[in-house]
Amino acid sequence: MASARSTFRSTGVAIRLTLLSTVVLGIAYPLAVWGVGQAAFHDQANGSMVTDSQGKVVGSSLIGQSFDGSSAARWFQSRPSAAGEKGYDANASSGSNLGPNNPDLVKAIRERQQAIAKADGVPASQVPADAVTASGSGLDPDISPEYALQQVSRVASARGMSESAVRTLVDEHTEARQLGFLGEPVVNVLELNLALAKASSE
């Protein structure tokens, strides 16, 4: 009889502990984290969404996208992407998985070099590495300041703007190294293109 009471007591303790853990760890803690995120890091917690001048969401500052088509010359271009069939597919984040000596990769890089050199009016040897190689995730939203500055002349000509005005936009959207020494300076292409669109419409 004592053994049965001990079993019931242990079972009751286990049930109460399970319920308490469910409430604390399954409801209270997630709600607390969500609340702190919304209050202190609202933009980051909601995907770092970027809106245009009309308030329409046009993408995320964390995910790259292409700016191609008939008006491609009017936009700063992102680095290549191997994520999904058309690139920049957040559901298929990946690199090409091709080694540096893979013939297909070497051929693709040379073709990109020639195309970019022709579009931007520079020698192929001066095309930055990030202009012809995809990132490991295929979703990198940033390019190097060198690649952005290389595109200034083309963009300015296509939009009828002065090169100095476009270069100023690049300078204003160049992010320095984190904490002054981590990583490399970068330019967020989506944010730069939105600033470009606003400046050219004024």
Side-chain angles (χ1 to χ4, degrees):
M1 201 67 176
S3 176
R5 283 198 298 271
S6 176
T7 300
F8 285 131
R9 188 180 303 112
S10 297
T11 301
V13 170
I15 291 173
R16 288 194 295 274
L17 183 59
T18 299
L19 291 174
L20 178 62
S21 299
T22 299
V23 171
V24 173
L25 301 177
I27 299 175
Y29 177 72
L31 282 176
V33 171
W34 177 84
V36 170
Q38 292 298 318
F41 307 100
H42 184 268
D43 289 342
Q44 296 90 331
N46 290 285
S48 298
M49 307 309 289
V50 177
T51 57
D52 62 15
S53 56
Q54 282 77 44
K56 177 183 177 183
V57 174
V58 294
S60 168
S61 63
L62 303 177
I63 299 178
Q65 58 181 273
S66 61
F67 297 88
D68 51 15
S70 58
S71 62
R74 293 169 53 82
W75 302 105
F76 283 92
Q77 296 300 307
S78 305
R79 65 186 302 181
S81 172
E85 290 184 12
K86 297 182 180 180
Y88 308 102
D89 183 352
N91 292 318
S93 174
S94 69
S96 67
N97 292 326
L98 299 177
N101 296 320
N102 185 286
D104 292 335
L105 180 61
V106 172
K107 179 182 177 183
I109 287 176
R110 287 177 178 166
E111 290 176 349
R112 292 169 186 160
Q113 277 182 324
Q114 295 301 321
I116 292 172
K118 181 179 179 181
D120 293 340
V122 298
S125 60
Q126 292 183 13
V127 175
D130 62 308
V132 295
T133 56
S135 64
S137 68
L139 304 176
D140 192 346
D142 305 316
I143 58 175
S144 65
E146 291 76 18
Y147 185 30
L149 290 171
Q150 175 188 289
Q151 301 180 63
V152 165
S153 179
R154 166 178 53 79
V155 171
S157 177
R159 287 185 175 269
M161 298 174 64
S162 68
E163 290 190 19
S164 61
V166 177
R167 189 175 294 108
T168 297
L169 288 175
V170 172
D171 292 340
E172 291 174 350
H173 288 81
T174 298
E175 300 174 20
R177 292 179 173 88
Q178 297 180 31
L179 302 179
F181 65 94
L182 294 175
E184 296 293 330
V186 295
V187 179
N188 187 283
V189 181
L190 175 58
E191 293 178 350
L192 174 59
N193 278 335
L194 286 175
L196 175 67
K198 181 180 179 181
S200 62
S201 66
E202 294 176 345

